[in-house]
Amino acid sequence: MATAIKICGISSPDALDAAIAARADFAGFVFFPPSPRHIDARAAAALAGRAGAAIGRVGLFVDADDGTIAEAVRAGRLDAVQLHGNETPQRVAQVKERFRLPVWKALPVANAEDVASADRYREIADLILFDAKTPKDAALPGGMGLRFDWSLVAPYRGEIGWGLAGGLSPANVAEAISRTGAPLVDTSSGVESAAGVKDSDKISAFCKAVRAA
């Protein structure tokens, strides 16, 4: 089965067009104001209209309330909700019941215990996204180009789908897939020319590298 591809932090028409042209499976829309990739409801609506049915849309939220998520779901016509904060299994269940959409739960990884914590979500989340753990004083929970020890997730055999994020780029994604068997890979800063500025050539190269892995 082919590895699915998510290009996260899409915030411009050019970046969206590049992701679609490269045949990525998902575009990630970030709804978190501290991020340089944040978009508001109006921008999300414009991008969703441009995308049509050409690519799946995943909204990224960090400890967001229901009102914030609801506005983004409507505007961005989201296909899935990604919770990237400190959301508990109970909160994940609430979001899934309220919005009736697949819920992805991102988990920061620094050690084997962090990977094992995925079991807390096994009957609730639709996908676990293993990402690099950021420093405690970091302003962002992800999108910082950090990577973790991939050997930590290589043995993972969870009951639900999972994906790999954290420092993935055109140069290393094939190795990451080879070492982990990840069924989905997620990149953001790895296909940028500057923070929040997607590079069309890098998006294309990333998707080609995934398919060649």
Side-chain angles (χ1 to χ4, degrees):
M1 185 173 178
T3 301
I5 303 168
K6 175 169 170 270
I7 308 297
C8 197
I10 296 288
S11 59
S12 71
D14 286 347
L16 178 65
D17 291 349
I20 293 171
R23 294 182 290 122
D25 299 281
F26 301 99
F29 295 166
V30 175
F31 300 96
F32 183 55
S35 171
R37 304 165 186 93
H38 168 71
I39 59 174
D40 59 18
R42 183 175 180 179
L47 290 171
R50 189 179 186 91
I55 193 168
R57 293 176 293 280
V58 181
L60 185 155
F61 304 89
V62 180
D63 300 315
D65 59 30
D66 284 358
T68 298
I69 297 174
E71 181 181 36
V73 166
R74 287 193 300 269
R77 290 185 259 168
L78 301 183
D79 298 298
V81 171
Q82 179 178 322
L83 301 179
H84 214 100
N86 296 310
E87 297 89 1
T88 63
Q90 292 76 20
R91 177 57 178 154
V92 173
Q94 290 171 357
V95 171
K96 186 170 182 177
E97 181 176 0
R98 166 78 189 273
F99 297 102
R100 304 294 179 181
L101 288 172
V103 177
W104 299 12
K105 180 66 184 88
L107 294 178
V109 175
N111 54 49
E113 288 74 21
D114 294 329
V115 176
S117 70
D119 287 343
R120 299 172 59 212
Y121 300 89
R122 68 181 181 275
E123 296 179 357
I124 304 165
D126 295 276
L127 183 140
I128 296 294
L129 185 65
F130 294 113
D131 198 356
K133 183 173 286 187
T134 56
K136 289 184 178 180
D137 59 350
L140 303 176
M144 299 178 67
L146 303 176
R147 56 178 279 190
F148 64 92
D149 181 358
W150 294 328
S151 68
L152 293 171
V153 296
Y156 180 73
R157 297 294 182 272
E159 297 176 14
I160 59 176
W162 66 280
L164 181 68
L168 297 179
S169 70
N172 65 20
V173 69
E175 179 189 358
I177 294 169
S178 175
R179 290 178 56 184
T180 67
L184 177 144
V185 288
D186 185 332
T187 187
S188 185
S189 61
V191 290
E192 291 180 344
S193 56
V197 181
K198 291 292 184 283
D199 183 300
S200 297
D201 290 338
K202 290 182 179 180
I203 290 174
S204 177
F206 184 87
C207 293
K208 288 179 180 178
V210 172
R211 293 194 178 88

